[in-house]
Amino acid sequence: MENVTCKVSGKQVAQADARKGEEIQDQLFELIREDHPDFTKDSFISIAQLTLYRKKYLASLVTAEFGD
């Protein structure tokens, strides 16, 4: 199985356990780019890191809707 480097953590992960930037929803992609400006549509992010960004994105939606 081929490994890829997670652009966020810098760690090697199995390609099956990662997603390419082009596969990620635009709003989530932009959230990742806020912390990692070098993240591109060709970059990989591990599913573990992507899950953290999904939680961060959902929290921002809830905050925008209901406030702190």
Side-chain angles (χ1 to χ4, degrees):
M1 182 173 287
E2 186 176 337
N3 285 340
V4 295
T5 301
C6 172
K7 193 73 166 180
V8 173
S9 69
K11 296 180 180 177
Q12 291 283 309
V13 295
Q15 189 169 350
D17 295 330
R19 295 295 175 263
K20 208 168 184 181
E22 66 187 14
E23 300 173 34
I24 299 171
Q25 176 189 17
D26 290 340
Q27 294 92 336
L28 192 54
F29 180 84
E30 290 305 322
L31 185 62
I32 296 166
R33 284 186 46 86
E34 286 177 14
D35 294 338
H36 302 276
D38 56 343
F39 188 78
T40 68
K41 295 288 185 178
D42 291 324
S43 300
F44 286 92
I45 184 171
S46 69
I47 291 175
Q49 290 295 316
L50 185 56
T51 298
L52 294 176
Y53 275 97
R54 284 181 175 138
K55 289 179 182 179
K56 185 176 178 180
Y57 176 67
L58 289 174
S60 72
L61 292 177
V62 170
T63 300
E65 182 69 26
F66 299 107
D68 291 330

